[in-house]
Structures are given as structure tokens and as C-alpha cells.
Amino acid sequence: MIEELATLLDTFPGPANQTRCFLHIVNLVAKSVLRQFEPHKAKGNDVLSEGAQELAALSTDLEHSDGDGDGEDGDSDDEDDDLDGFKDERDGMSEEEIATLEQSVQPVRLVLAKASYFKLRFDNSTTIVLPEWNSTLKELELDPRMMPRDVSTRWNSTFDMLDFAVQYRPAIDAITDNRDMKMRKLELDGPDWIIARQLRDTLKVSPSFLRIIALIHHFCADL
């Protein structure tokens, strides 16, 4: 593409003006932020707080429950992604700084883990949870939809999952409050919903940015 641009544009210097793919840079930046909210895997000698213990238990369930249950497996949305150029923002931080960061992001991690596990329960329980979900949506007069899956290789999937959760909060609250669904540990309280809404708003892509992305795709398609 760079060589083609050099032949089409007299003022374009060619490879000397080459930079990384814009979309790739955006992806790396977003992942660098979201990486801080990935569950921390505790070591055997770690002393965990109550919240950290709850998060560790949910993370373990997520790792071992994929594909189990009475329904079909969830969609395999994971795709290979180019991580060339990715930088872990924790590199260079002291142990004390990392410990402070771990404590501050723990509530956000717990919200994301609960939402992800909520989605997984639907994928693995199409004969129990799914009918109850559809019935709840009908009672609440909400459009029949399923929560999008948060995929590690798609940074905007976290926004999609949280945006859905905020919009369908009444239904999610009803399902997690139903003892028969056995999802009480996934219940989100008031502060949890505030976190979900704030993170959703932070990850929201502006219309102007979407127009830039569309122009880039259009330009590349014409080359």
C-alpha cells in the first residue's frame, strides 16, 4: 500500500513516511488499558481479601466451565490477534505501585468477571436459564436479545457486553435474584452497576472516531 501511495501521490515520500496501522495502534492502546482489569491468578501462598477470593473463584469457574453444562458450547469468538508492539504498562512499576493498582482495580475486575460468567451460564444452560431469560424479557417488555460475549482479542467487545448489561439491568437483576437459576453469586449491587456504567461510558467510541474508521476502511478497499 505504501509503494502504491508513492506512485499515486507526488508529495508522499513512500516508506519513509510509513507508520503502524492506525487500527492496530488503537487496538494496542485499548488492550493496554483493559489488561489492567484481567483477573489476577493468585499463587498458593497469596493471602487474599474477601473480594479477591470471590474474584479468584469466579475466574476459576470461567476457566473450567467453558463447554460444560446442559446446552451447546458458546460461540467460539476468539481469534488470533497481532500483539506486535504491545506494551504492558506495569513494566517499570515498583512492587508497591503494582500492589496499589491491584487493589484499586479489583472491584472493576469483579464486575467484568460476573458479567462474563453470566454470559457463559446462558451458553451452557440452554434448557434452564435461557427459557427463564426469555420469559423475563417478555414480562419486562424488553426486546429479546442475548448478552454479547467479552472476547480478549476484541477490545470493543467489553463495551458491547457492558452496554448490554446496563440496558438490560432489570432482567439481569431478576435472573440473578432467582434462586432456582443458581446465579446469586453473579448478582451486581448498586456500586457494581455504577462501575459497569462508568466503564461502559469510558469505552464508548465517539461517532467522529467511527467516521474515521469507516474512511480508513474505504480508502484501503480502493487500493
Side-chain angles (χ1 to χ4, degrees), residues 36 90 93 96-106 109:
Q36 312 311 317
R90 299 184 180 209
M93 294 178 63
E96 182 178 354
E97 290 173 331
I98 292 177
T100 301
L101 177 61
E102 288 283 337
Q103 183 177 7
S104 65
V105 301
Q106 183 176 293
R109 285 175 171 168

Side-chain angles (χ1 to χ4, degrees), residues 5-198:
L5 283 174
T7 62
L8 295 175
L9 304 175
D10 294 335
T11 58
F12 188 75
N17 218 38
Q18 183 176 2
T19 61
R20 289 184 180 272
C21 171
F22 177 72
L23 298 181
H24 180 64
I25 293 174
V26 171
N27 193 39
L28 292 176
V29 171
K31 284 184 177 180
S32 181
V33 175
L34 292 175
R35 187 180 180 87
Q36 312 311 317
F37 304 126
E38 292 180 358
H40 170 69
K41 295 183 179 180
K43 300 178 181 179
N45 58 348
D46 282 351
V47 178
L48 302 178
S49 65
E50 181 179 352
Q53 291 175 358
E54 183 180 5
L55 176 60
L58 278 175
S59 300
T60 300
D61 287 341
L62 281 170
E63 291 178 359
H64 293 90
S65 296
D66 201 1
D68 297 335
D70 60 350
E72 298 178 356
D73 294 349
D75 295 337
S76 180
D77 290 331
D78 293 290
E79 296 177 351
D80 293 335
D81 196 26
D82 183 7
L83 294 178
D84 180 33
F86 179 80
K87 177 183 178 182
D88 189 345
E89 296 299 329
R90 299 184 180 209
D91 293 343
M93 294 178 63
S94 66
E95 292 185 1
E96 182 178 354
E97 290 173 331
I98 292 177
T100 301
L101 177 61
E102 288 283 337
Q103 183 177 7
S104 65
V105 301
Q106 183 176 293
V108 182
R109 285 175 171 168
L110 188 56
V111 169
L112 291 176
K114 287 182 176 181
S116 296
Y117 194 33
F118 186 86
K119 163 63 177 173
L120 185 61
R121 288 285 288 115
F122 280 90
D123 291 341
N124 297 334
S125 186
T126 57
T127 62
I128 299 176
V129 179
L130 185 56
E132 183 66 24
W133 171 257
N134 290 331
S135 176
T136 300
L137 293 183
K138 186 175 181 179
E139 292 178 4
L140 295 173
E141 298 183 348
L142 293 171
D143 293 335
R145 288 182 57 196
M146 293 291 294
M147 176 183 283
R149 187 173 184 177
D150 186 15
V151 182
S152 61
T153 55
R154 299 178 186 172
W155 62 268
N156 56 333
S157 67
T158 304
F159 166 80
D160 291 336
M161 179 183 71
L162 292 174
D163 188 48
F164 176 92
V166 171
Q167 293 183 45
Y168 280 70
R169 174 179 176 176
I172 293 175
D173 284 342
I175 291 292
T176 55
D177 190 52
N178 188 335
R179 293 183 180 274
D180 293 336
M181 296 297 99
K182 300 179 180 179
M183 298 172 68
R184 295 296 295 272
K185 65 180 179 180
L186 305 181
E187 190 172 9
L188 299 174
D189 57 21
D192 289 336
W193 282 113
I194 292 176
I195 290 174
R197 189 178 298 105
Q198 290 177 340

Side-chain angles (χ1 to χ4, degrees), residues 197-208:
R197 189 178 298 105
Q198 290 177 340
L199 184 55
R200 185 273 310 265
D201 294 343
T202 300
L203 295 174
K204 186 176 182 179
V205 179
S206 68
S208 59

Side-chain angles (χ1 to χ4, degrees), residues 22-23 26 205-220:
F22 177 72
L23 298 181
V26 171
V205 179
S206 68
S208 59
F209 181 79
L210 290 176
R211 286 194 293 269
I212 293 174
I213 298 297
L215 287 172
I216 291 175
H217 278 295
H218 179 71
F219 177 75
C220 293

